[in-house]
Amino acid sequence: MYKTDFLVIGSGIAALTFALKVADNFSDLKVTIITKDDKLESNTKYAQGGIATVLNEVKNDSFAQHFKDTILAGDGLCNEEVVKMVVEEAPIRLEELLEWGVNFDKSSNGEFSLGKEGGHSQNRILHHKDITGFEIIRALLKKVSLKSNIEVFEHHFALELITQHHVGQQVDRDSNISCYGAYVLDTKFNKVKRITSKITMLATGGIGQVYKTTTNPKIATGDGIAMAYRAKAEIENMEFIQFHPTGLYDKLSLESSCFLISEAVRGFGAYLRNIHGERFMNKYDSRMELASRDIVARAIDNELKVRGDEYVFLDCTHLDFQKFKEKFPNILEKCISIGLDIKKDMIPVAPVAHYLCGGIKVNVNGKTSIENLFASGECASTGLHGANRLASNSLLEAIVYSHKSFMYLKATFDSLKSIPESIPTWNDKYQKPYAENILITHERMDLNNIMNDYIGIIRSNKRLLRANNRLEILYNETLKMYEESKVSRDLCELRNLITIGYLITQFSISRKENKGGFFNVDLIEKKIV
Ligand code: FAD
Ligand code: SIN
């Protein structure tokens, strides 16, 4: 049993920036960060391209252009007020990251070196070489370690949000549900703790691991969204999965997560070519390699399907090698490690699952539909991305929304009600650990195959129905395992991933118009001639 004031679930950019702010402002209150792996592990750690921000000093860019690019990428489904707010807040939040010690690259004239990515009309991406996320996490964790009122529990896996349901009250989606904290599995000691908290912040990141091929690391299993869904929070836009066009095609690394070749490499001038060396993007978009991600990913997918190939090439052979080495040292090192000399060899790439545009619905203060429950970062759906996220808008969204939640709580925290005393402890006294872990592994492989085969870049009504039927079987089998045994991280992740797969399928079945990253062949408008 454990009591805190702010329970922050996750240790990526959304979690750490929120924790730092509340710890600073409420210096006599306790902030508890729990994270299921070691504290460095997150999607944030792997972010390459950077953070999109219009800096005042840059003459040829404007908020209006960043706004327009975001709206265009989102294909008409962005919330325009949110987009305006986020792009205008970007420079102030960026300033904070600098104060916290994050280093962004500068050019020889002392100004920030700004990268470009798909869908951006200007160079506006601040970055730290090609390891921006790692640099951000390094600086934020250092700051967190200096705060005496923040404690960090690594290897603590959030299982369930605590709501009235746990104190014996009936709740439905329309009743006023409140969150009182979470049940958390300490995976080192296999003990479930009850952590109660006045405020709970879900910053659990993405869902990439539901697919067989993804840029996302192992932690990205959609736990926060699945927990929120079970607690009856509003979830939206789950059909909008963003596939990154250029995952490194390397059979060895495809098994867990796939190394990303940043879009900034195309921003730097790299070309896409089919395996015969022909450029093909001119058939799909006048912006060629720098069209927005949904368009480039679909174009590559089409080339692969038509030709029966497994990858296309990213050609960097014509680029200035010295500059490439300075800008993309991590990518270069990876290429060398698999025997590629980018001065003469082209890089094999294919689209892979990368980012979820939807998630837990939040309002402009980052508040979910459940009282005292907030969400920020990739697990939240703010309305910024619409049907397809503009590159490098994700880190930005996380810092802006963690700030908005903090500001809201600064004004309202004192009026919060106290938490009921009667919350029970987790009861699994009579259950045994699951005996056949191999079955969990098999179910997860089955799920990954279903998602890749039936709910990938191109969907159809038939595929969606197939996925739906198969997921139902997996769900029932997993539920039985869950009900009959002690909880474990593997089992709970599987259960959460199946829930995520189910949500993506249901939202895809409900969508009746192709938009952004969502494409169902049966919805193509039939032209009457
Ligand atoms: P994360 O950084 O993923 O953190 C989630 C945290 O929650 C982790 O610490 C995880 O361990 C923890 N967690 C999850 N479930 C539980 C649980 N049940 N219990 C306890 N803890 C839990 N975006 C950009 O804007 N620019 C980029 O250049 C960029 N490049 C990218 C490159 C790659 C390879 C990837 C994968 C993504 C990239 N993105 C980029 C997207 C961006 O990195 C993520 O959307 C963003 O970092 C998400 O931050 P977050 O704080 O929401 O979640
Ligand atoms: C990349 O560097 O290509 C990833 C950027 C992003 O996902 O925003």
Side-chain angles (χ1 to χ4, degrees), residues 293-303 457-458 516-519:
R293 229 168 245 183
D294 52 335
I295 295 170
V296 182
R298 256 197 313 273
I300 298 177
D301 187 70
N302 190 49
E303 292 290 314
I457 298 181
I458 307 291
F518 177 87
F519 194 83

Side-chain angles (χ1 to χ4, degrees), residues 174-191:
D174 300 324
S175 53
N176 261 352
I177 307 175
S178 293
C179 180
Y180 307 133
Y183 290 108
V184 175
L185 174 68
D186 174 341
T187 54
K188 285 254 156 99
F189 294 96
N190 278 327
K191 282 238 161 336

Side-chain angles (χ1 to χ4, degrees), residues 97-112:
L97 286 184
L98 295 171
E99 278 166 27
W100 282 331
V102 181
N103 294 305
F104 291 105
D105 291 352
K106 289 191 170 168
S107 313
S108 50
N109 63 6
E111 288 183 2
F112 286 111

Side-chain angles (χ1 to χ4, degrees), residues 102 210 237 308 329 358 374 411 434 471 505 525:
V102 181
V210 76
N237 290 351
F374 292 74
Y434 194 67
L471 285 174
T505 312
E525 275 175 48

